[in-house]
Amino acid sequence: MKSFWRLLRYLSRYQSLVVAAIGCNILTAVFTVISIPMLIPFFQILFDRTEMAEAPPSEPMGLTNIPEYINYEFTELITTQGQETALAYVCVAIVIVYFLRNIFRYLALYFMAPVRNGVIRDLRDEMFEQVLTLPLSYFGEERKGDLLSRLTSDVQEVESSILNMLEVVFREPLIITGALAFMIYVSPGLTVFVFLLIIFTGVVIGGLGKRLKRTSTQVQDRLGHLLSLVEEGLGGLRIIKGFAAEDYQRNKFSTANNDYRNLLTKLLRRRDLASPLSEFLGIATVAALLWYGSRQVFSGVLDAETFITFIFAFYNVIDPAKNIAKATSNIQRGIGAFERIEQLLDAVNNLPEAPDAKTISTFGQGISYRQVGFRYRDVEGPVLQNIDLEIPKGKVVALVGASGAGKSTLVDLLPRFYDVTEGGIFIDGVDVRQLRRRDLRRLLGIVSQEAILFNDTIYNNIVFGLDGVTQQAVEEAARIANAHDFIIATENGYGTNIGDRGNKLSGGQRQRLTIARAILRNPPILILDEATSALDSESERLVQDALTKLMEGRTAIVIAHRLSTIQHADEIIVMREGRIVERGTHLGLLEQGGEYRKLVALQGLE
């Protein structure tokens, strides 16, 4: 129940609405309880069994003699107006009470609607904020489809199964309490049956609810796996079709889908058992109640009209008890979903920002890697070892080496996508771990091998994350990136939507947009991660020209497989198995005849 109480803490943000809803639920319960004894005078008149009061009560009105005063006023009404008129008054009073009961019931739901939807909105906001905050290493361990499931179906499950039942939690116990109080007042003996029902129902439904919670968690896990397969299928359609692997992928999805269906069927069967089970228990108790109560009527202990009203009061216990039983099973199911949400909300950020993190807005001296070592997990071997590297301001440093040498990891440590496990990285003499992450990353412009674009317009992709940018500045950045000509040739120019991941554009066009985005940001430090490796010769020429313009006057770290693109770098760093094995200029490294010369020979550049 710890998760349930944590969820209820979100209600504190909507205090006034919750208080209003609770007040309306209390009034609903009050009018429900009032409606029960109002049936007694109705049956007394109907069966001509009204006990006529000859004189008003001698004592002043109090809690103990309210029925006597009501009976006296009722007697006066029958005496002066007649039985039919008195019956009409009773019917009108019953209608008014039920009208008020339902008005307040609606108002309780009216006030709770923005609370329920607001809590769900807050949950989604908090989860997405956590997604943006967590380091990249977290997402390497999680399936994207499972995260999508938590952000969508799990949150919706919480809304439908827990928040939708909050009015039941606030209202039904009050109705049960009032109805039981009336029943105890009328006949303590008969009320024993009600307690037996509630206790027995609580035990049976409680056990069912625990099973529902376990099954619900399994269902949400299976749905997350199913969404992961969908996400992988959509992202890999070209490969699936190219390798004629439709049957393999279809069978894989069908198996997961069938497993989800079977588990969901099991969950629904258990959930649907709660209501008929509680109804059966109620009917069994009513049968026993009718038998025992009839004996008391026959023996003169109870009046017939009082016993009928008692049965009506008992119904007002059974129906709320069924609602509570249903709410209990639903809440157990929802807690299973909320626990999956908590796994994301409580995920530990292993890249915390220092409490006294320093601000930085300018780059004045250089970047320094000092005895840097890194490994992704403690159980794995080192990815980087003993890296010492100085990058003065305004210099271009190129990283080369075979795949898996650690080049991309080396540059990923600079913006703190990961943290070093040994040594440190310094900007202007300050450890990057002591800088505010937002300030640090604003100094950097990143152009990666894969052009990361969004399903939006060309304009919004270029100005991504910036405010107050003019159209002239955007166009100037596009011209420098050799992108302006193809942009104005599109259907709506800078207002053209480029589709999911920019799939309406060619590879070279997408890459030039990312370069325009970096140019507009005007960062003092550039990270170019194999920005031209996936392009054809013509696109590579245009992109390389744009990169050359971008690097003018800036500090740049360039990762390149095509060595022809980095021959003019101020320093070339050759890496192998996480270590720096050579460093120098293009000509100097060629003269050494070592690792770099072998790489150059392999590409036929000598």
Side-chain angles (χ1 to χ4, degrees):
M1 293 299 289
K2 182 180 177 182
S3 297
F4 178 71
W5 293 116
R6 176 178 178 176
L7 180 62
L8 290 186
R9 285 200 293 271
Y10 284 87
L11 298 177
S12 61
R13 304 173 186 178
Y14 306 91
Q15 221 167 27
S16 58
L17 289 169
V18 171
V19 169
I22 292 174
C24 290
N25 276 312
I26 291 174
L27 289 172
T28 301
V30 167
F31 283 108
T32 300
V33 173
I34 290 174
S35 68
I36 297 172
M38 290 186 69
L39 292 178
I40 293 179
F42 174 82
F43 287 119
Q44 286 177 337
I45 297 173
L46 186 64
F47 299 137
D48 196 19
R49 293 172 57 88
T50 306
E51 295 181 6
M52 307 297 286
E54 297 179 358
S58 56
E59 299 292 331
M61 182 181 290
L63 291 176
T64 57
N65 62 357
I66 288 178
E68 296 178 19
Y69 272 93
I70 293 176
N71 189 48
Y72 173 74
E73 295 296 332
F74 198 57
T75 298
E76 289 292 306
L77 181 63
I78 293 175
T79 303
T80 57
Q81 303 289 333
Q83 283 189 325
E84 290 187 8
T85 303
L87 189 62
Y89 274 107
V90 171
C91 291
V92 169
I94 291 174
V95 169
I96 291 173
V97 168
Y98 271 88
F99 174 77
L100 291 173
R101 169 193 169 184
N102 285 284
I103 281 291
F104 285 114
R105 182 182 178 185
Y106 168 74
L107 288 175
L109 295 173
Y110 178 85
F111 290 125
M112 279 305 297
V115 175
R116 284 163 38 201
N117 294 322
V119 168
I120 293 305
R121 178 202 61 193
D122 295 343
L123 263 180
R124 284 204 180 102
D125 282 346
E126 193 171 328
M127 291 171 72
F128 193 71
E129 173 65 24
Q130 180 76 332
V131 167
L132 296 178
T133 302
L134 287 170
L136 293 180
S137 57
Y138 174 82
F139 302 100
E141 304 290 333
E142 297 288 335
R143 288 174 172 265
K144 280 191 278 186
D146 189 58
L147 292 173
L148 287 173
S149 174
R150 297 184 196 195
L151 279 160
T152 53
S153 63
D154 283 354
V155 171
Q156 203 58 44
E157 181 68 35
V158 168
E159 194 277 334
S160 61
S161 60
I162 296 182
L163 297 177
N164 198 34
M165 294 297 168
L166 286 179
E167 61 267 18
V168 173
V169 175
F170 292 136
R171 182 184 67 230
E172 308 301 8
L174 296 174
I175 295 176
I176 291 175
T177 301
L180 282 175
F182 173 78
M183 293 164 66
I184 292 172
Y185 174 78
V186 170
S187 175
L190 285 176
T191 309
V192 171
F193 289 95
V194 177
F195 281 110
L196 291 175
L197 171 68
I198 293 175
I199 293 172
F200 185 65
T201 301
V203 171
V204 174
I205 300 300
L208 185 62
K210 290 180 181 178
R211 291 187 178 184
L212 278 170
K213 177 185 172 183
R214 289 195 299 268
T215 309
S216 175
T217 302
Q218 294 172 358
V219 165
Q220 297 303 323
D221 287 339
R222 295 286 176 86
L223 181 58
H225 176 60
L226 198 64
L227 288 176
S228 294
L229 292 178
V230 172
E231 192 272 334
E232 289 174 357
L234 291 175
L237 274 177
R238 182 181 295 273
I239 298 300
I240 292 171
K241 292 179 181 295
F243 282 80
E246 290 92 343
D247 289 342
Y248 170 79
Q249 202 69 16
R250 186 183 298 113
N251 292 335
K252 188 176 178 181
F253 180 83
S254 180
T255 300
N257 197 23
N258 193 52
D259 289 344
Y260 173 69
R261 171 248 187 190
N262 292 336
L263 197 59
L264 186 59
T265 300
K266 184 179 178 181
L267 172 68
L268 293 177
R269 284 174 175 171
R270 286 183 177 177
R271 186 192 66 185
D272 295 340
L273 178 62
S275 182
L277 181 61
S278 61
E279 183 174 342
F280 169 75
L281 294 173
I283 292 299
T285 306
V286 167
L289 176 63
L290 289 173
W291 172 78
Y292 185 72
S294 298
R295 290 186 60 188
Q296 290 195 320
V297 172
F298 295 151
S299 62
V301 177
L302 275 179
D303 296 327
E305 61 272 13
T306 303
F307 177 55
I308 293 173
T309 306
F310 185 93
I311 293 174
F312 179 69
F314 179 68
Y315 167 78
N316 279 278
V317 171
I318 291 294
D319 199 47
K322 285 172 60 179
N323 291 336
I324 290 177
K326 182 180 178 182
T328 301
S329 63
N330 284 340
I331 285 172
Q332 291 291 341
R333 196 175 82 246
I335 286 175
F338 187 67
E339 286 177 348
R340 282 171 41 83
I341 293 173
E342 284 185 305
Q343 291 173 8
L344 174 60
L345 294 178
D346 296 337
V348 178
N349 186 349
N350 56 14
L351 296 178
E353 191 167 88
D356 54 347
K358 301 175 182 178
T359 60
I360 183 171
S361 57
T362 59
F363 175 60
Q365 300 171 18
I367 304 166
S368 177
Y369 286 73
R370 301 176 188 173
Q371 288 294 300
V372 168
F374 177 76
R375 64 183 70 210
Y376 285 102
R377 300 177 190 84
D378 292 336
V379 296
E380 296 181 354
V383 180
L384 297 174
Q385 300 178 68
N386 302 321
I387 300 296
D388 283 303
L389 178 62
E390 296 291 333
I391 308 174
K393 180 182 179 182
K395 298 298 183 180
V396 176
V397 172
L399 305 178
V400 300
S403 296
K407 305 184 298 297
S408 294
T409 302
L410 184 66
V411 297
D412 283 345
L413 295 174
L414 181 58
R416 289 196 69 197
F417 293 155
Y418 305 94
D419 264 351
V420 299
T421 50
E422 297 173 14
I425 301 174
F426 300 82
I427 291 182
D428 292 347
V430 181
D431 194 318
V432 294
R433 289 169 291 188
Q434 298 302 316
L435 298 174
R436 289 180 57 189
R437 274 195 301 266
R438 183 181 293 270
D439 291 346
L440 168 65
R441 291 170 183 172
R442 281 176 174 168
L443 295 177
L444 307 173
I446 301 174
V447 181
S448 59
Q449 179 179 2
E450 181 185 2
I452 306 297
L453 297 171
F454 301 89
N455 193 346
D456 206 336
T457 63
I458 291 174
Y459 178 88
N460 287 337
N461 271 281
I462 294 176
V463 302
F464 185 71
L466 297 178
D467 296 320
V469 180
T470 65
Q471 179 73 26
Q472 182 180 359
V474 173
E475 291 183 8
E476 181 60 27
R479 284 190 176 91
I480 296 173
N482 293 330
H484 180 72
D485 290 341
F486 86 77
I487 291 174
I488 60 174
T490 59
E491 182 181 2
N492 297 310
Y494 285 86
T496 300
N497 187 289
I498 60 175
D500 185 37
R501 297 175 181 248
N503 59 16
K504 294 182 180 179
L505 304 177
S506 69
Q509 290 172 336
R510 290 197 296 268
Q511 197 64 285
R512 279 177 277 165
L513 283 189
T514 65
I515 294 171
R517 182 168 62 196
I519 291 171
L520 185 64
R521 187 171 292 272
N522 193 27
I525 303 171
L526 287 174
I527 296 175
L528 309 178
D529 189 354
E530 302 182 27
T532 63
S533 64
L535 303 179
D536 59 81
S537 299
E538 177 63 21
S539 296
E540 181 186 1
R541 185 186 62 78
L542 291 170
V543 170
Q544 189 59 47
D545 180 60
L547 289 174
T548 301
K549 296 175 184 175
L550 175 61
M551 288 189 290
E552 288 178 359
R554 292 183 173 87
T555 305
I557 304 175
V558 183
I559 298 175
H561 277 153
R562 297 187 182 181
L563 303 183
S564 60
T565 62
I566 48 92
Q567 292 180 12
H568 301 292
D570 295 296
E571 186 176 22
I572 298 173
I573 305 297
V574 184
M575 298 186 65
R576 184 177 64 199
E577 296 180 355
R579 297 176 181 271
I580 296 177
V581 294
E582 291 178 357
R583 63 176 70 200
T585 63
H586 173 68
L587 293 178
L589 290 173
L590 285 177
E591 290 176 0
Q592 291 180 24
E595 189 80 15
Y596 182 74
R597 188 179 184 89
K598 294 177 183 177
L599 294 173
V600 170
L602 286 173
Q603 296 190 15
L605 297 177
E606 289 189 291

